[in-house]
Amino acid sequence: MNYQETTQWMFNQLPMYQTQGATAYKEDLNNTQELIQHLDNPHQNLKCIHIAGTNGKGSTSHMLASILQEAGYRVGLYTSPHLKDYRERIKINGQEISEDFVCEFITKNKPFFESHDISFFEMSVGLAFEYFNSQKVDFAIIEVGMGGRLDATNIITPILSVITNIGLDHTQFLGNTLEKIAHEKAGIIKPKIPVVIGEFTPETKAVFIHKANECHSPIYFASQNIETVYPSDLLGDYQKHNIKTVLQAIKVLNDSKLLTITDNNCKTGLMNTIKNTGLLGRWHQIDANPKTICDTAHNKEGLSIVINQIQKEQFETLHIVFGVVNDKNLEAILPLLPKNAKYYFSKPNNPRGLPVNILEQKANEHQLKGNSYPSITEAYRHAKENAKETDFIYIGGSTFVVAEII
């Protein structure tokens, strides 16, 4: 199989959370354990930093990787989902895994995948560990896919665990309270391994402290400990929280003597995150006249910060291109959106995309007025045609919406 055939088989042949939702979620790590043993445990040769959280884990992972790269380390980075190409998920020093490596890995292990019902995400995790091990990276930054305790990445014993924040997302899998979701995220805390917490509430802090004490793990709260924040090329008001988390993580790693990172490494790494890692879709400006921003924020916590930042912009009319997937809590999201904007509704090109007629109906119930379009690109085209140079266009609601525009 060539690369296109290989990735198509991966997407269509096996369950994948991004397209199928609940049916792709497995409630134990047995499959991953069997897979990783079949691969001869490549993860055991890696020094991993494990990152979980409702929002910000992607930005945090990429900023950490950039700083380590600036310090001269060879850094593996595993994240999800991708925007345009599957290979975005697996990088070393900003360079995507080769098409050949993906094809060879799948071809070699395809009989095992089929006979053991290995999921899309499980095989992706196995591929990342195999690749990082073969390429002898100094450190591997591993982003959790969803949750933590039962996530396929949670077979590692990292040198550091990081939890960015907790919000009510994926509640059908992780629980419908902050405490329950915090319990799932806290599942990445390992015995005697330090853990950095980014943002917290009184409810989630208690969960993290309990788990850390149970594991005899040192725990650090970045928002309490870090005062000086360096600027980053990742724009967006929400990044200041992620930067504090990153700087706390660097301090813990420096104190552990496992590496040496200077303040200059931190400053240059943060200012060159996009260049060093290729991260896209975070308060990402794609046009200037009118100013056009797309952002992958897709839940209440993330969207509330983005909408607040939009309100700080100077413009005459706000145009919003918007689409969501079908498991989002619209009753939590839609009240956040400004009523005085012009809306361009559409369904993301994904099996989990919410039909546009349902989205428009729900939006109208919240006095959000606009028109529906057959695709995100068509919606964006109409927004550009209608907007003046002094207006502002925002594109968001889902990672898949942003992926169709970038």
Side-chain angles (χ1 to χ4, degrees):
M1 294 189 296
N2 62 28
Y3 175 69
Q4 295 301 326
E5 292 168 339
T6 298
T7 52
Q8 196 62 47
W9 179 83
M10 294 173 72
F11 296 143
N12 294 338
Q13 183 78 8
L14 296 173
M16 176 183 175
Y17 171 72
Q18 277 77 7
T19 59
Q20 292 186 219
T23 58
Y25 187 68
K26 298 182 179 180
E27 295 187 350
D28 59 56
L29 294 174
N30 293 340
N31 266 29
T32 311
Q33 295 287 3
E34 291 180 3
L35 169 62
I36 214 69
Q37 289 172 19
H38 167 74
L39 298 175
D40 199 23
N41 299 304
H43 65 302
Q44 293 181 354
N45 300 321
L46 302 173
K47 294 177 182 176
C48 296
I49 300 168
H50 205 188
I51 301 181
T54 301
N55 296 304
K57 57 184 182 290
S59 295
T60 299
S61 297
H62 284 78
M63 286 190 283
L64 266 175
S66 181
I67 290 171
L68 266 61
Q69 287 170 222
E70 289 288 340
Y73 295 107
R74 186 168 169 80
V75 185
L77 179 61
Y78 174 75
T79 59
S80 63
H82 62 272
L83 287 175
K84 305 298 287 185
D85 186 340
Y86 173 78
R87 296 181 301 136
E88 296 168 27
R89 296 168 178 252
I90 302 171
K91 299 178 181 179
I92 296 177
N93 282 21
Q95 297 299 309
E96 296 173 357
I97 187 173
S98 70
E99 293 183 358
D100 287 345
F101 199 101
V102 176
C103 293
E104 290 166 8
F105 176 83
I106 296 299
T107 300
K108 176 183 176 182
N109 296 290
K110 190 166 176 276
F112 181 88
F113 295 156
E114 292 176 326
S115 63
H116 288 75
D117 191 28
I118 301 298
S119 75
F120 173 92
F121 194 76
E122 289 161 347
M123 71 174 69
S124 297
V125 169
L127 170 59
F129 290 151
E130 178 104 330
Y131 182 60
F132 295 155
N133 183 45
S134 72
Q135 300 300 305
K136 302 188 185 310
V137 298
D138 297 311
F139 297 94
I141 297 174
I142 307 297
E143 179 192 329
V144 167
M146 181 175 64
R149 182 175 63 92
L150 297 175
D151 188 78
T153 63
N154 203 30
I155 58 170
I156 61 177
T157 299
I159 59 173
L160 175 68
S161 301
V162 178
I163 302 173
T164 59
N165 55 42
I166 302 298
L168 292 173
D169 201 13
H170 303 305
T171 54
Q172 69 272 46
F173 306 113
L174 307 179
N176 56 8
T177 68
L178 292 177
E179 292 94 334
K180 288 179 180 178
I181 296 175
H183 172 73
E184 294 300 318
K185 308 286 186 187
I188 72 166
I189 300 175
K190 300 295 194 305
K192 299 183 180 179
I193 302 299
V195 57
V196 169
I197 307 298
E199 302 169 78
F200 60 88
T201 66
E203 306 99 302
T204 62
K205 185 177 184 180
V207 173
F208 296 142
I209 289 175
H210 176 79
K211 180 65 175 180
N213 288 341
E214 186 177 84
C215 291
H216 304 288
S217 301
I219 186 169
Y220 304 86
F221 293 94
S223 60
Q224 292 180 332
N225 297 339
I226 302 298
E227 295 182 359
T228 302
V229 175
Y230 303 135
S232 172
D233 61 348
L234 293 187
L235 305 177
D237 291 348
Y238 52 84
Q239 295 297 358
K240 65 179 180 291
H241 302 294
N242 297 327
I243 292 168
K244 283 188 175 186
T245 304
V246 167
L247 294 177
Q248 178 70 76
I250 292 297
K251 184 177 188 309
V252 173
L253 290 169
N254 269 337
D255 291 346
S256 72
K257 308 300 183 185
L258 290 170
L259 44 64
T260 301
I261 304 290
T262 67
D263 281 347
N264 190 55
N265 295 150
C266 291
K267 292 175 182 177
T268 56
L270 289 170
M271 283 305 300
N272 290 284
T273 299
I274 295 173
K275 174 186 172 184
N276 288 342
T277 69
L279 179 64
L280 300 172
R282 275 66 172 181
W283 196 256
H284 184 163
Q285 183 169 337
I286 60 174
D287 204 349
N289 297 303
K291 186 172 184 179
T292 303
I293 296 289
C294 58
D295 194 282
T296 56
H298 56 271
N299 54 37
K300 178 182 177 181
E301 289 77 14
L303 281 169
S304 63
I305 297 173
V306 169
I307 296 301
N308 285 338
Q309 184 159 2
I310 290 174
Q311 304 293 9
K312 297 177 183 178
E313 297 284 336
Q314 298 295 318
F315 53 80
E316 287 190 43
T317 303
L318 174 61
H319 304 259
I320 295 182
V321 178
F322 201 74
V324 297
V325 292
N326 58 22
D327 62 352
K328 291 305 166 188
N329 181 358
L330 292 180
E331 294 307 313
I333 290 174
L334 294 178
L336 301 172
L337 303 180
K339 294 180 174 59
N340 60 346
K342 292 183 178 179
Y343 285 87
Y344 305 77
F345 302 111
S346 189
K347 172 184 176 293
N349 184 22
N350 182 280
R352 285 175 55 225
L354 182 71
V356 67
N357 62 311
I358 297 176
L359 174 59
E360 184 176 13
Q361 176 190 338
K362 294 291 186 182
N364 286 340
E365 292 174 5
H366 290 271
Q367 292 79 53
L368 306 177
K369 302 300 181 182
N371 296 313
S372 296
Y373 298 90
S375 70
I376 296 297
T377 53
E378 186 74 3
Y380 177 42
R381 183 176 70 80
H382 277 82
K384 286 199 296 182
E385 289 176 353
N386 293 336
K388 297 179 294 186
E389 288 192 359
T390 51
D391 290 349
F392 186 97
I393 300 175
Y394 171 70
I395 305 161
S398 168
T399 298
F400 304 111
V401 169
V402 174
E404 292 184 49
I405 297 301
I406 289 181

